[in-house]
Amino acid sequence: MIIAPSLLAANYGRFADEVRRVDRSGADWLHVDVMDGNFVPNISFGPGLVKTLRPLTRLPFDVHLMCARPEILLEPFAQSGADWITVHIELGDQVTPLLWKIRSLGKKVGLAINPPTPATAVEPLLKHIDLLLVMTVNPGFGGQPFIEEVIPKIQQVDAWRRQKKLKFHLEVDGGINLAKAAECARAGADAFVSGTSLFGQHNLRAAVKKMRAVAIAAHRHPGALP
Ligand code: DX5
Ligand code: ZN
């Protein structure tokens, strides 16, 4: 089970300290939400911040590009220290070349899908990716409520993963707290992005440990009541 705190929910006045806190927390990845004010109605941070934070931790940087023109960002983020680079299926025909470009840069290939987009949109590409990021909120802001209607999509993608014997991570992102982590794990998720719920805790280490424990327990016993 992968626990990935989202930098979007960190204290912007203390990014270095926050990354050190994530590094010490036992988290698996650092989720970096990149927003361009075009693909989503918000702007966050760019390659320069990733480059600054890179030396502070050996944790993989899970970079989520919520950007209309990711083709101009792939190399800057790859050179700044991104390990996983994810682009949105909603970008349409340009997605396949983007996935190959991420691969050619030697990075792990991620594909994200928004709540209104049907799972069938990503099925043809599942064999080409290392990570499917299933958005459980509409992208753009942290602290939003979890969208329950996405659960069947997680179940469908997990079923395809098993049927096709694929190995990509199934990551969920948005409104993930302990209860939603368990619910998504039961549906087949194995990677959990969490911003508000984790960064809001005084003891991040305990919160990460607890979220991983509930996800493992739910994954092992899908039928168990919450
Ligand atoms: C939303 C981002 C999410 C968000 C998660 O567009 O992609 O990663 O930061 O934050 P919480 O956990 O606060 O919903
Ligand atoms: Zn994200």
Side-chain angles (χ1 to χ4, degrees):
M1 291 296 167
I2 301 288
I3 306 299
S6 169
L7 194 66
L8 195 72
N11 178 335
Y12 285 22
R14 297 176 39 246
F15 270 132
D17 291 340
E18 294 280 69
V19 168
R20 291 189 190 100
R21 187 156 78 105
V22 171
D23 184 70
R24 290 194 305 269
S25 73
D28 301 282
W29 298 346
L30 178 69
H31 187 80
V32 182
D33 285 310
V34 181
M35 300 178 182
D36 67 353
N38 182 348
F39 186 79
V40 290
N42 194 3
I43 293 178
S44 58
F45 16 78
L49 181 66
V50 169
K51 186 174 183 179
T52 301
L53 300 177
R54 184 66 278 176
L56 304 180
T57 177
R58 297 166 63 87
L59 285 183
F61 283 176
D62 171 28
V63 175
H64 175 193
L65 297 180
M66 289 161 274
C67 304
R69 294 189 58 216
E71 67 275 13
I72 62 174
L73 297 169
L74 298 182
E75 290 195 38
F77 274 103
Q79 287 156 14
S80 299
D83 297 282
W84 299 73
I85 302 179
T86 296
V87 294
H88 271 260
I89 188 67
E90 290 80 14
L91 291 171
D93 293 343
Q94 65 175 300
V95 168
T96 301
L98 288 171
L99 300 181
W100 288 111
K101 175 72 176 174
I102 295 166
R103 182 75 72 202
S104 72
L105 290 167
K107 302 304 175 183
K108 294 290 190 183
V109 176
L111 182 62
I113 180 171
N114 284 336
T117 306
T120 48
V122 298
E123 188 185 5
L125 296 174
L126 293 177
K127 56 184 173 297
H128 298 306
I129 61 176
D130 302 305
L131 167 72
L132 184 75
L133 174 54
V134 179
M135 294 303 295
T136 45
V137 295
N138 287 302
F141 300 90
Q144 301 178 80
F146 181 89
I147 299 174
E148 290 292 342
E149 290 76 5
V150 176
I151 290 291
K153 186 189 297 183
I154 300 168
Q155 292 167 328
Q156 174 62 75
V157 169
D158 182 47
W160 283 334
R161 179 172 59 176
R162 280 185 276 107
Q163 289 157 15
K164 301 168 191 276
K165 295 183 175 40
L166 298 174
K167 299 283 183 208
F168 59 88
H169 281 292
L170 205 173
E171 188 176 45
V172 288
D173 182 2
I176 302 296
N177 54 27
L178 290 181
K180 300 309 172 191
E183 193 175 349
C184 291
R186 268 194 292 280
D190 58 75
F192 305 85
V193 174
S194 180
T196 305
S197 177
L198 288 181
F199 272 102
Q201 307 289 322
H202 176 68
N203 185 334
L204 183 58
R205 183 172 189 79
V208 166
K209 188 176 178 185
K210 181 74 176 158
M211 185 170 283
R212 183 179 291 114
V214 302
I216 289 171
H219 204 69
R220 278 198 186 129
H221 309 292
L225 292 175

